[in-house]
Structures are given as structure tokens and as C-alpha cells.
Amino acid sequence: MHKIPVIIDTDPGIDDFFALAVAAASDKLDIRAITPVAGNQTYEKVCRNVENIRQLFRMDGVRIATGAKCPLVSAQRTAGNVHGEDGLGGVILPKAQQKAESTYAWDVIYEEAKRAQGRLQIAALGPLTNIAIAVLKYPDLPSMIDKLFVMGGTNGFGNVSPYAEFNIWADPHAADIVFCCGIKTVNMVGLNLTRQAILDIPEYRRVFSAAGDGPLGKIVTQLIDYLGTRAHGLGNTAMTLHDAIVTAAMSDDKLITYFPSYVRVECQSENAFGQTVVFAGNGNRVLEQGEPNVNVADTLDLERFKSTLSASLEKLKGRVAL
Ligand code: RIB
Ligand code: CA
């Protein structure tokens, strides 16, 4: 069966690391490019992390583009309080030999969309700045994208405010442009979904035991230990790997259920800035606010996700390049 041509737009980011692991291990995904975007940390840091992760997982031949260094309109805000000063909890990866190419992310997305002839799927795991610039620069691009998966937003409580989730809040203007640009399938995997995969450290230890006690096992243990300390610091005793659920869902359409809705992003309000306003739709009936433009993730098969995460790490443990 033909592999799915995929671009991963990302801001590593500890959960982005695991998302790239799941994608790298998948037999169903043909990763054409990774497009770094400023988000969890400044652009230079996330780009360096992408370069090092590509080498670690031996994602040879996968392009790394040059992405957006700041949001479209908002001031830049990062998430060092969760992911650390370097974006990966201080966990040292071998320094990549191969660096990102100078081609901009929006141009790489358009090139790969043309090459994929309508089959391109994109996982957006950070702020939607690169995607927004791409659809603004290339008005025919939305019709060339088969599916866009977005880790972002929520149909419930936020994480940076009671209403807003970090990826959308960091660049809400970009998110609203992307939700309304006409891509035929936009799957929004928000916190209401990813919080169904909150696990505590012992549970993660069980899932990650598949990575063995070699180099990969040591790296993932350090990453989750760091995330655990940050979660504790935020008053939690468990956490979730938001982004990894998205790349798992790209090659497994039974993992998540969705409902179609009309979604807009709040870009004015002081208190609800960055909120994804989910006008729940029921089927394709035109709503008074607008026709459904986003499939909102609703339920997760947690055991299925855990086994995918475990199987991915098992597969990669013999492949990592140190
Ligand atoms: O709110 C969670 C999202 O913000 C994840 O993508 C995480 O990596 C951060 O980017
Ligand atoms: Ca991310």
C-alpha cells in the first residue's frame, strides 16, 4: 500500500520528540520534510533540536526547512517552564552533522504538496505560523492538502489560561487563518482529547520499558523524568505527550473519533485570547455561525495509543544513531 506523504511542523519540545519518534517508526508514513517553528522555545533552539532528532532517528533524506522565527502578529512567547531552557529538558543529543536547508518552510510545504499530487498530510505540532504563511503565499495550496492534523486548541479548559491552549495562544491569528483557509480536512486534536492520555511516571516507565536500557531508553527516561518534575511544579503528578497522539493518529484512523464543527479563534479578548471557539456542529448542517470547517477530536483509544508508543520505541531502540 502506498505510504502517506507527510510533513511534520514542529517546535521540539519534549512531546514533539515523542511525536517524531512515532512518525519515524511508522511503516505507513513517508516523511518528506520537517518544518521547525518557534514555539516551545526560540527558533534557533527548536531548529537545532529538529536537526539532532532527525539524526538520532536516522531520518535520512527527510528535508528540514527554515521556519518562522516569530508569530504573525503577537509578541513571541515560549514554554521554557515546561520544556526547559533548551527545549528538551537539558537532555543532550548527539550534535547533528546535517543542518536545515535555507529553503523556507512555506515554500517546502508548497513544493511537497505539488509532488504529493493531493495526497499530502501535515501534522502541525506547534504554533501555526508556517502553515498560515504557506496558505497566504500560495492561495491554491489548501486544495492541494489532503489532511491537516493540528495539535492545538481545546473544546474545554486551556493550559495557558482557562480558555486557551499554548500552540493556538502563541499565534492565534495564524490559527484562525488556517482554520478558515479551506483545507478540506482539518483534524483539531485539542487538550480535551490529549488529556485523556494523562499518565503518571510509573505508567510511563511501563510503556517506555520497550525502549530498553540502552541509549534510547536512557534518553526517553531523562525526558519523561524532566517532564514529571515540571508537571509536579505545575501542581500535577502526571502528564501527557500531546503531540505524539497526533502522529499516532495519522497512521491509525481508529485511534480518535471526531465531530465536525465550526471553529474560530479569539484574537481580541483580553481574558479569552487564543481560545478556540467550538460551535459544535451536528453533521454537515450549516450552522448559524458558519459551515463546519474543523473536525474536533472527541474520544481517544488510550490502550491503542500506549501500544503504538511502546511499539515505536521498541522499533527505534536498535536504530538510534549516537
Ligand atoms: O499545549 C501543548 C502543545 O504546546 C504541545 O504541542 C507542546 O509541545 C507545546 O507546543
Ligand atoms: Ca509542540
Side-chain angles (χ1 to χ4, degrees):
M1 184 186 77
H2 288 299
K3 288 191 171 188
I4 302 167
V6 162
I7 286 179
I8 300 176
D9 190 78
T10 179
D11 62 336
I14 293 174
D15 58 327
D16 304 72
F17 173 98
F18 288 96
L20 289 166
V22 169
S26 172
D27 294 332
K28 294 183 180 175
L29 303 182
D30 172 10
I31 306 171
R32 298 288 176 84
I34 303 172
T35 50
V37 61
N40 281 321
Q41 262 303 346
T42 58
Y43 179 77
E44 290 68 27
K45 293 177 180 177
V46 299
C47 186
R48 180 195 59 216
N49 291 338
V50 167
E51 291 164 345
N52 293 344
I53 293 168
R54 175 178 64 175
Q55 177 172 287
L56 181 74
F57 294 148
R58 295 186 189 277
M59 299 164 85
D60 303 334
V62 174
R63 304 172 70 177
I64 300 180
T66 293
K69 294 172 176 54
C70 62
L72 295 184
V73 176
S74 303
Q76 182 171 34
R77 291 170 291 194
T78 58
N81 61 320
V82 176
H83 299 271
E85 198 42 46
D86 65 347
L88 287 179
V91 176
I92 305 299
L93 302 183
K95 194 169 165 43
Q97 302 303 312
Q98 196 184 354
K99 301 297 182 187
E101 65 183 77
S102 58
T103 315
Y104 287 121
W106 33 95
D107 297 326
V108 167
I109 290 169
Y110 193 59
E111 284 170 23
E112 293 301 334
K114 283 189 289 187
R115 184 172 158 224
Q117 297 179 320
R119 296 185 60 241
L120 181 66
Q121 297 190 18
I122 300 174
L125 309 178
L128 290 167
T129 317
N130 288 338
I131 315 298
I133 295 171
V135 299
L136 289 172
K137 180 171 181 181
Y138 300 105
D140 58 339
L141 177 60
S143 66
M144 299 160 69
I145 295 171
D146 182 32
K147 286 183 187 176
L148 170 67
F149 289 79
V150 174
M151 192 283 127
T154 180
N155 185 33
F157 280 98
N159 55 5
V160 290
S161 82
Y163 309 99
E165 176 279 328
F166 175 80
N167 285 339
I168 306 298
W169 172 82
D171 196 343
H173 305 88
D176 201 50
I177 287 166
V178 171
F179 285 163
C180 297
C181 73
I183 296 170
K184 61 176 176 291
T185 302
V186 177
N187 294 333
M188 185 183 94
V189 182
L191 297 176
N192 59 292
L193 189 286
T194 62
R195 282 172 171 154
Q196 295 174 42
I198 285 183
L199 306 176
D200 60 19
I201 291 289
E203 182 71 24
Y204 275 116
R205 288 250 186 280
R206 277 190 286 278
V207 173
F208 288 178
S209 59
D213 52 11
L216 182 60
K218 290 184 175 60
I219 289 170
V220 299
T221 299
Q222 290 174 55
L223 288 169
I224 211 64
D225 282 351
Y226 183 85
L227 211 50
T229 63
R230 309 313 292 164
H232 185 70
L234 295 170
N236 307 318
T237 55
M239 61 262 134
T240 179
L241 297 174
H242 308 275
D243 294 337
I245 298 170
V246 173
T247 48
M250 294 187 93
S251 47
D252 179 359
D253 56 16
K254 293 185 174 60
L255 190 68
I256 292 176
T257 65
Y258 301 88
F259 65 84
S261 185
Y262 176 62
V263 178
R264 295 303 299 268
V265 180
E266 177 54 63
C267 296
Q268 304 294 333
S269 158
E270 190 176 327
N271 292 326
F273 186 77
Q275 179 184 12
T276 45
V277 185
V278 178
F279 297 94
N282 58 347
N284 292 324
R285 184 172 64 81
V286 174
L287 305 172
E288 53 274 19
Q289 295 86 356
E291 288 202 6
N293 59 339
V294 171
N295 299 315
V296 176
D298 191 24
T299 64
L300 169 71
D301 182 332
L302 177 55
E303 289 312 309
R304 203 175 173 99
F305 170 61
K306 283 161 50 178
S307 58
T308 298
L309 189 52
S310 182
S312 301
L313 295 171
E314 170 105 37
K315 186 168 180 182
L316 289 176
K317 72 179 176 185
R319 191 201 303 181
V320 296
L322 289 182

